[in-house]
Amino acid sequence: MAVQNADAAYASSLRDLAARLRPGFTLGVAAAAFQIEGALAAGGRGPSGWDAFAAKPGTIANGHSPAVACDHYNRVPEDIALMQELGIDSYRFSLSWPRIQPDGRGAVNAQGLDFYDRLIDQLLAAGISPMATLYHWDTPLPLEDSGGWMNRATAGHFADYVAAAAKRLGDRVAQWVTLNEPVSVTLNGYALGVHAPGRDLLFDALPSVHHQLLGHGLAVQALRAAGVAGAIGITNLHSPVRPATRKLTDRLLARVFDLVLNRVYSDPILLGRYPKPPAAARPWFRSLAKASDDDLRLISQPLDFYGVNYYYPVKVAAGQGPADTPAGTAEAMARVPFHLAAFPEYATTGFGWPVAPEHLGILLRELKDRYGAALPPLYITESGASFPEPEHVTGPIADGRRIDYLAHHLHQAMVSTAPGGIAHDVELLGYYVWTLMDNFEWAAGYSQRFGLVHVDFDTLKRTPKKSFYWLQALSRARKARTAEPA
Ligand code: FCB
């Protein structure tokens, strides 16, 4: 049967999993412009804050450069052929703002739009539905230099760029994601300094939350005004947050961290208000408490779907500890009264992230409990894992741990949202694997390989891994099932 190339041991669980994929459920892969495109000066693209950050010594592991990345810009047909071979339904990619509007305001660069126009047409010709993320962290440098998301004006500039993208691409994109993980921009970029633009403002970074959310609200308005054909949503990172012990201080600080990581994004979007911090933590959140009703109305416009990126749960402990964060070591952690603790009970990925699929179901339950009828249908817009893998390969590498990771997370997603599951009342529309091919993993450079396809960064040769053939077999098994007579 269809399970060629996939390890035989996975065949039965694969058939079981295929049977759990409900009709119409979307299987996809996700990627981001800056991590794969390269060609940073081609076709009139302007520099981004990430270009500038990565050029500073000591910011990126091993001094790796994003200049070439996967050279996807010049290899679109080859990469779409891979996706077609993989058999996915949808591809989530991001539009590069500095490619489309090099200065971040004013003139639109037709060549930038042409690139995405061709990409979308080629996807459609290959039978793959396009999901476009409008912002995956590559702020045009002139805007970053005037404060980036710490500056309220950036939200308005973002909406202008979105209007231009919507006008040109709005007839063919199936889903629009306004922002990818605003929490990562605030936390890693402005609070801890481990991502671009490298600022370490800690809680003083919180205005960047509000400005990104305003950008989201204005973008939703711009997309609706342009009459785009596709559905509109946003993607947030969500991590269940747990206190390290039952001690009061651990519990209090875990509540605070849950606000910073999850709720200051999802509450205003879905409920139209910022969450109330515990009294002792109120001074940290004062900038958000000042948000006007008008702003909150804009931020909480109805969405067609809500995107969730799930990677790991987080454990918070009072007091100083290791300065490790999921995105890298952050010296600024020495200035906060808590640290992130390990989960010794779980295996870890190459990044050191705990492998905890059951927390995906728990997370979906928590989201539904908190937001009830205000929770739109969901997509898991990213889920995946990096593992140490060789730089050069001669054939499909046996990445069994990735297959295991994906099988367990997808199983959890399906089982928890099926009748009788812990999140049975959540409408889950699809699941996107992060990511198609190994790529530039931000501050980790090329050292964290998340791909279903191995990339040799010397030759740029793409070699599918066993996990690629596993997902292909899953997709085929499902299609064979749907073709069976009832
Ligand atoms: C997510 C990001 C994505 C990638 C994965 C591993 O937080 O959205 O770009 O870096 O993590």
Side-chain angles (χ1 to χ4, degrees):
M1 73 147 272
V3 195
Q4 290 157 4
N5 290 316
D7 288 343
Y10 290 104
S12 66
S13 63
L14 187 130
R15 271 193 298 274
D16 170 74
L17 194 50
R20 290 179 194 279
L21 300 178
R22 298 179 278 273
F25 188 85
T26 299
L27 263 189
V29 292
F34 192 72
Q35 296 182 265
I36 61 171
E37 285 179 3
L40 299 184
R45 179 188 180 277
S48 77
W50 260 99
D51 300 32
F53 179 75
K56 285 189 203 144
T59 54
I60 311 295
N62 312 314
H64 286 161
S65 156
V68 177
C70 307
D71 194 34
H72 169 73
Y73 186 79
N74 295 306
R75 291 164 196 252
V76 167
E78 181 183 351
D79 292 339
I80 292 185
L82 276 169
M83 289 185 237
Q84 209 174 5
E85 194 189 335
L86 183 57
I88 46 153
D89 309 309
S90 171
Y91 174 43
R92 173 174 177 243
F93 57 97
S94 81
L95 307 179
S96 160
W97 185 356
R99 219 180 260 300
I100 292 178
Q101 197 184 35
D103 292 331
R105 68 189 111 186
V108 167
N109 171 34
Q111 286 183 78
L113 279 172
D114 290 347
F115 171 72
Y116 295 108
D117 193 272
R118 286 194 303 270
L119 170 70
I120 289 168
D121 280 349
Q122 291 173 62
L123 285 170
L124 290 170
I128 299 167
S129 176
M131 175 187 271
T133 302
L134 286 152
Y135 177 75
H136 201 126
W137 310 353
D138 42 1
T139 309
L141 186 57
L143 293 187
E144 194 64 77
D145 286 343
S146 29
W149 290 108
M150 289 298 288
N151 181 347
R152 186 179 170 106
T154 299
H157 298 311
F158 179 61
D160 293 342
Y161 141 74
V162 169
K167 190 165 163 214
R168 178 74 181 273
L169 311 171
D171 54 337
R172 283 155 296 154
V173 168
Q175 288 94 7
W176 294 94
V177 174
T178 55
L179 305 177
N180 176 71
E181 296 188 1
V183 62
S184 301
V185 173
T186 292
L187 220 55
N188 299 329
Y190 293 99
L192 297 173
V194 291
H195 279 183
R199 303 189 65 183
D200 57 358
L201 301 169
L202 296 176
F203 284 92
D204 290 341
L206 287 177
S208 68
V209 173
H210 190 62
H211 300 149
Q212 287 186 85
L213 295 183
L214 272 183
H216 156 76
L218 291 168
V220 173
Q221 259 184 356
L223 290 165
R224 300 248 187 254
V228 296
I232 300 172
I234 186 171
T235 281
N236 277 323
L237 177 79
H238 278 288
S239 290
V241 178
R242 299 291 178 257
T245 70
R246 298 307 303 157
K247 282 191 209 136
L248 194 64
T249 43
D250 284 352
R251 284 187 356 234
L252 182 81
L253 289 162
R255 264 176 69 204
V256 169
F257 200 71
D258 182 33
L259 297 188
V260 168
L261 198 62
N262 298 300
R263 291 186 53 193
V264 297
Y265 303 92
S266 45
D267 280 17
I269 292 168
L270 299 175
L271 302 177
R273 57 173 186 263
Y274 281 105
K276 259 215 171 110
R282 232 169 266 158
W284 284 336
F285 292 85
R286 61 180 176 261
S287 69
L288 299 180
K290 286 190 239 149
S292 73
D293 289 349
D294 282 351
D295 281 2
L296 287 164
R297 257 193 300 278
L298 189 68
I299 290 169
S300 58
Q301 287 167 84
L303 297 178
D304 304 316
F305 67 89
Y306 186 79
V308 171
N309 290 355
Y310 171 71
Y311 287 96
Y312 43 73
V314 167
K315 196 183 276 180
V316 174
Q320 277 185 8
D324 298 339
T325 77
T329 307
E331 280 155 28
M333 283 300 288
R335 291 188 276 127
V336 295
F338 57 85
H339 62 279
L340 303 183
F343 283 91
E345 64 272 42
Y346 294 124
T348 49
T349 69
F351 237 144
W353 298 351
V355 178
E358 65 277 24
H359 274 80
L360 173 56
I362 293 172
L363 164 66
L364 297 177
R365 178 71 261 141
E366 289 181 356
L367 285 172
K368 190 68 188 175
D369 284 345
R370 191 174 305 142
Y371 301 116
L375 187 69
L378 297 189
Y379 285 100
I380 306 294
T381 37
E382 289 180 25
S383 168
S386 64
F387 293 103
E389 285 163 359
E391 286 174 30
H392 310 289
V393 300
T394 49
I397 54 168
D399 57 339
R401 281 189 289 172
R402 180 171 295 101
I403 296 176
D404 242 29
Y405 185 100
L406 295 174
H408 282 107
H409 283 75
L410 187 50
H411 178 88
Q412 183 61 227
M414 301 320 296
V415 168
S416 62
T417 55
I422 66 164
H424 60 90
D425 44 355
V426 166
E427 189 181 347
L428 184 66
L429 301 176
Y431 177 98
Y432 289 76
V433 173
W434 183 269
T435 178
L436 176 69
M437 55 188 164
D438 297 337
N439 59 43
F440 182 77
E441 179 45 43
W442 309 110
Y446 301 101
S447 70
Q448 296 298 329
R449 294 177 175 271
F450 278 86
L452 298 168
V453 176
H454 177 277
V455 176
D456 181 317
F457 290 103
D458 290 337
T459 62
L460 298 172
K461 188 175 167 18
R462 280 94 159 117
T463 310
K465 304 176 189 176
K466 288 272 176 88
S467 58
F468 178 96
Y469 295 108
W470 172 82
L471 194 67
Q472 180 190 60
L474 179 68
S475 161
R476 288 182 180 166
R478 175 177 61 156
K479 282 178 186 146
R481 229 186 116 250
T482 357
E484 275 165 20

